[in-house]
């Protein structure tokens, strides 16, 4: 995918979610009697402007990365005496706190509503957490985990599907490094298996992106796929080499392949290189040289030849649990999932501060743009799921007690409420400087991670 595609969906996602956030401040401020001067979608001089009869302005501006709300505030300039009661600094502290909370709250509410709609329309489909390959000598092997085991619970909490297992293991490994699994074997017997990672540094490495299952030494079971090409994209590397749909790949650079995933793994490992492909077409063995493309995917440089897997090879019905949900049940489920994700996010962030979770999990604008573009390419459901996650993250991050964020401003208002007078200008200025410094550090780490992912 092109940089333009990534940038387009990044702008759409960020613009939408920041606008939702600012609309929360705007909507609540108006209802509590604050004087609102302007609500702008986008930044810069207005392309379009409307003045409401009550005096506030609506702007649409050319820079689409979000928007802002401007409230009447004595700290920003003189205020007419008859308007003083509606100035931000003259409103009761509890009202100021509610206005500040409204931005993050609207992001969380937006995520819940999106999730509600998706669950109501599509229901819930869970993939049974069945253990596939277990690496010899690994943590999973030492715990007695076997191929064919179905994970039923982690540390006493029942799991419904693969996603619950991922969250449960990530939570356990970033905490004490112990996960007591309740599993059902392929023969139907129930038993326990305990994953133990006593070394703190090893536990921290498990929290790095894509390292959890690799480090524990097992993967989920996936249905076998024949080493046969599905669709071959026109003008792609495979098509230019003469490969067509239905060709059976036998070997790549002399290494035999028996499954389509092995084709993906071998091609991915050779970005920008020429490889020799042995294949069969209608039973006749042939060989061809192929130039592998080098593409950036999820922060890593991988090889691509622009083919798809053979059709009709999804999970069997026995591996899937689908549940249709009514409106009320879907809403309750959406609220529960949003709460679970937010709590896990808070735990992992705090453990990141303590050094238990890898800082490599911080993503900057480059990675977020990639995720936005890839989810948009995957379809409407995938992009809406991406919006849910980012909206919850935006709501959570803005509640952190960093002075330049809503959470930090809420702390200022609470202190004023308790002591009966505002913090001194010097204290507020110092807080702002500390907040800016912390944000610069976080953004610097996130940008470093982005750059590191770009170079693999």
């Amino acid at each position: 995918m092109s940089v333009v595609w990534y940038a387009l969906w990044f702008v759409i996602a960020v613009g939408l979610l920041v606008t939702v956030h600012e609309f929360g401040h705007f909507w609540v401020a108006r209802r509590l009697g604050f004087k609102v001067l302007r609500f702008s979608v986008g930044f810069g001089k207005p392309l379009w402007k409307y003045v409401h009869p009550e005096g506030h302005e609506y702007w649409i501006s050319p820079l689409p990365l979000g928007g802002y709300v401007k409230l009447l505030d004595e700290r920003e300039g003189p205020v007419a005496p008859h308007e003083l009661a509606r100035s931000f600094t003259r409103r009761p502290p509890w009202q100021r706190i509610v206005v500040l909370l409204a931005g993050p709250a609207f992001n969380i509410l937006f995520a819940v509503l999106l999730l509600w709609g998706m669950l109501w329309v599509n229901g819930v489909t869970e993939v049974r957490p069945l253990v596939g390959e277990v690496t010899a000598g690994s943590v999973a092997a030492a715990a007695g985990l076997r191929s064919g085991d179905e994970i039923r619970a982690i540390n006493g909490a029942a799991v419904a599907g693969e996603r619950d297992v991922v969250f449960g293991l990530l939570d356990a490994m970033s905490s004490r490094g112990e996960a007591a699994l309740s599993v059902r074997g392929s023969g139907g017997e129930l038993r326990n298996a305990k994953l133990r990672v006593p070394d703190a540094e090893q536990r921290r490495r498990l929290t790095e992106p894509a390292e959890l299952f690799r480090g524990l030494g097992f993967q989920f079971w996936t249905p076998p796929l024949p080493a046969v090409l599905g669709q071959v994209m026109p003008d792609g590397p495979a098509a230019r080499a003469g490969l067509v749909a239905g060709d059976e790949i036998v070997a790549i650079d002399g290494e035999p392949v028996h499954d389509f995933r092995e084709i993906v793994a071998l091609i991915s490992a050779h970005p920008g290189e020429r490889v020799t492909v042995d294949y069969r077409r209608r039973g006749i063995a042939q060989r061809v040289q192929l130039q592998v493309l080098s593409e950036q995917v999820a922060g890593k440089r991988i090889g691509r030849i622009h083919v798809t897997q053979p059709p009709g090879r999804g999970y069997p019905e026995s591996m899937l649990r689908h549940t249709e949900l009514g409106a009320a049940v879907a809403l309750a489920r959406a609220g529960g999932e949003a709460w679970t994700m937010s709590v896990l996010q808070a735990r992992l962030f705090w453990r990141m501060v303590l050094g238990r979770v890898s800082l490599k999990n911080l993503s900057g604008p480059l990675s977020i743009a990639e995720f936005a573009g890839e989810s948009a390419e995957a379809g409407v459901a995938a992009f809406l799921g991406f919006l849910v996650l980012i909206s919850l993250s935006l709501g959570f991050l803005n509640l952190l007690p960093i002075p330049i964020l809503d959470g930090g401003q809420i702390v200022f208002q609470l202190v004023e409420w308790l002591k009966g007078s505002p913090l001194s200008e010097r204290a507020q200025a110092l807080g702002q400087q500390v907040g800016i410094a912390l944000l610069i550090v976080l953004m610097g780490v996130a940008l470093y991670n982005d750059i590191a992912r770009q170079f693999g």
Side-chain angles (χ1 to χ4, degrees):
M1 285 181 286
S2 69
V3 173
V4 173
W5 177 264
Y6 288 144
L8 170 65
W9 290 102
F10 174 77
V11 167
I12 290 172
V14 172
L16 173 62
L17 296 181
V18 175
T19 298
V20 167
H21 180 96
E22 296 300 329
F23 181 76
H25 294 310
F26 168 78
W27 190 84
V28 172
R30 285 194 63 205
R31 272 142 190 83
L32 289 178
F34 289 73
K35 174 72 173 181
V36 179
L37 301 179
R38 183 183 308 139
F39 175 66
S40 176
V41 176
F43 297 96
K45 294 182 178 180
L47 299 173
W48 174 86
K49 180 171 69 172
Y50 169 71
V51 180
H52 192 273
E54 293 182 8
H56 57 271
E57 300 175 341
Y58 294 95
W59 284 16
I60 295 180
S61 302
L63 298 177
L65 290 175
Y68 64 93
V69 174
K70 185 176 178 60
L71 303 178
L72 187 67
D73 194 323
E74 293 173 89
R75 296 168 297 182
E76 297 182 4
V79 175
H82 69 281
E83 295 277 25
L84 280 174
R86 301 183 66 192
S87 172
F88 181 85
T89 52
R90 298 296 180 101
R91 304 302 297 172
W94 72 266
Q95 290 189 359
R96 288 179 250 159
I97 291 170
V98 171
V99 170
L100 291 165
L101 282 171
F106 267 55
N107 279 128
I108 295 169
L109 178 62
F110 179 77
V112 170
L113 292 176
L114 267 186
L115 196 53
W116 177 34
M118 293 168 66
L119 293 174
W120 190 5
V121 171
N122 299 323
V124 178
T125 300
E126 301 279 5
V127 181
R128 289 172 54 201
L130 206 63
V131 175
E133 182 181 354
V134 178
T135 305
S138 66
V139 173
L145 211 57
R146 305 167 195 160
S147 179
D149 287 343
E150 181 179 0
I151 300 172
R152 308 298 298 276
I154 299 176
N155 289 335
V159 297
E162 290 182 351
R163 192 186 67 160
D164 289 350
V165 173
V166 173
F167 286 171
L169 289 179
L170 189 57
D171 189 22
M173 290 301 117
S174 63
S175 179
R176 295 185 302 162
E178 293 186 357
L181 308 184
S182 175
V183 302
R184 183 174 65 185
S186 55
E189 75 284 2
L190 294 174
R191 68 179 199 282
N192 297 320
K194 193 162 190 176
L195 302 172
R196 291 186 179 91
V197 183
D199 182 69
E201 181 57 28
Q202 185 181 357
R203 293 200 301 268
R204 193 194 63 78
R205 282 198 299 271
L206 289 176
T207 66
E208 294 181 7
E211 287 298 321
L212 180 63
F213 289 94
R214 186 185 308 169
L216 292 175
F218 79 97
Q219 298 292 333
F220 290 126
W221 180 87
T222 52
L225 289 171
V228 174
L229 302 185
Q231 184 181 359
V232 178
M233 309 299 180
D235 297 324
R240 288 196 294 268
L243 295 174
V244 298
D247 285 346
E248 180 186 359
I249 307 302
V250 177
I252 295 175
D253 274 349
E255 187 167 345
V257 296
H258 308 92
D259 185 277
F260 187 83
R261 295 181 190 86
E262 294 176 357
I263 299 174
V264 174
L266 289 170
I267 293 298
S268 295
H270 294 87
E273 301 177 19
R274 288 187 69 82
V275 297
T276 300
V277 177
D278 292 289
Y279 66 100
R280 277 195 292 264
R281 181 181 297 168
R282 293 187 290 274
I284 300 173
Q286 302 187 53
R287 174 176 290 179
V288 70
Q289 290 281 321
L290 187 152
Q291 179 67 43
V292 179
L293 282 182
S294 178
E295 294 186 358
Q296 193 76 24
V297 177
K300 293 185 177 181
R301 186 68 59 182
I302 68 170
R304 285 281 180 87
I305 59 173
H306 292 182
V307 299
T308 66
Q309 66 186 43
R313 293 284 179 169
Y315 284 98
E317 289 296 322
S318 61
M319 281 290 295
L320 302 175
R321 300 188 183 101
H322 182 77
T323 307
E324 293 291 336
L325 302 176
V329 176
L331 179 58
R333 175 96 180 221
E337 290 199 10
W339 171 257
T340 299
M341 286 188 282
S342 297
V343 169
L344 180 60
Q345 185 174 220
R347 283 182 189 163
L348 294 179
F349 185 85
W350 177 243
R351 291 170 189 170
M352 190 181 297
V353 173
L354 297 176
R356 297 178 188 172
V357 171
S358 174
L359 290 173
K360 292 181 180 180
N361 290 286
L362 287 175
S363 295
L366 300 181
S367 294
I368 295 173
E370 285 185 14
F371 298 148
E374 288 165 8
S375 64
E377 187 183 45
V380 174
F383 185 68
L384 293 180
F386 166 80
L387 287 180
V388 168
L389 292 175
I390 298 300
S391 194
L392 288 173
S393 296
L394 188 60
F396 166 75
L397 289 173
N398 269 280
L399 288 174
L400 293 176
I402 298 175
I404 200 171
L405 301 177
D406 292 328
Q409 295 301 313
I410 290 170
V411 171
F412 284 168
Q413 304 308 320
L414 283 172
V415 170
E416 178 178 340
W417 198 1
L418 292 172
K419 70 190 289 281
S421 61
L423 284 171
S424 67
E425 291 186 7
R426 181 178 179 183
Q428 293 190 46
L430 178 61
Q432 297 286 355
Q433 291 167 4
V434 171
I436 291 171
L438 287 173
L439 279 185
I440 289 174
V441 170
L442 287 174
M443 292 171 62
V445 172
L447 187 58
Y448 172 82
N449 288 341
D450 279 359
I451 296 171
R453 291 184 189 113
Q454 295 298 315
F455 289 97

